Amino acid sequence: MKLSIIVPVYNVEQYLVRCIESIVPQMCADYELILVDDGSTDNSLNIVKEYMKSNLNIKVYAGENIGLVG
């Protein structure tokens, strides 16, 4: 069974590296870190894409900003 961790991302460039670096070292071999970008206008999406190059367990889903849906 694979462990999935889902992290919402929206203009969190200043916190994103710390967030990813706090999750990845603690994980077992069979996990996926899913970052869901809600149309960030800062560098958040580029940061995630850089991590994806060196870690196949990291995935990103990006789209236009839709805000809270409820």
Side-chain angles (χ1 to χ4, degrees):
M1 178 158 49
K2 183 179 278 196
L3 174 65
S4 298
I5 299 130
I6 302 170
V7 177
V9 174
Y10 181 73
N11 291 342
V12 290
E13 175 181 13
Q14 65 186 17
Y15 307 107
L16 193 53
V17 170
R18 185 173 178 191
C19 174
I20 294 170
E21 292 289 334
S22 70
I23 294 170
V24 171
Q26 299 182 50
M27 294 296 101
C28 56
D30 198 17
Y31 78 97
E32 62 183 348
L33 174 57
I34 303 168
L35 295 120
V36 181
D37 184 82
D38 189 27
S40 291
T41 58
D42 65 358
N43 201 35
S44 295
L45 187 55
N46 292 328
I47 292 170
V48 173
K49 288 179 179 179
E50 282 300 311
Y51 272 93
M52 287 175 60
K53 290 178 184 178
S54 61
N55 189 326
L56 298 176
N57 295 325
I58 297 177
K59 298 173 179 38
V60 65
Y61 294 95
E64 294 181 24
N65 180 271
I66 59 171
L68 294 174
V69 178

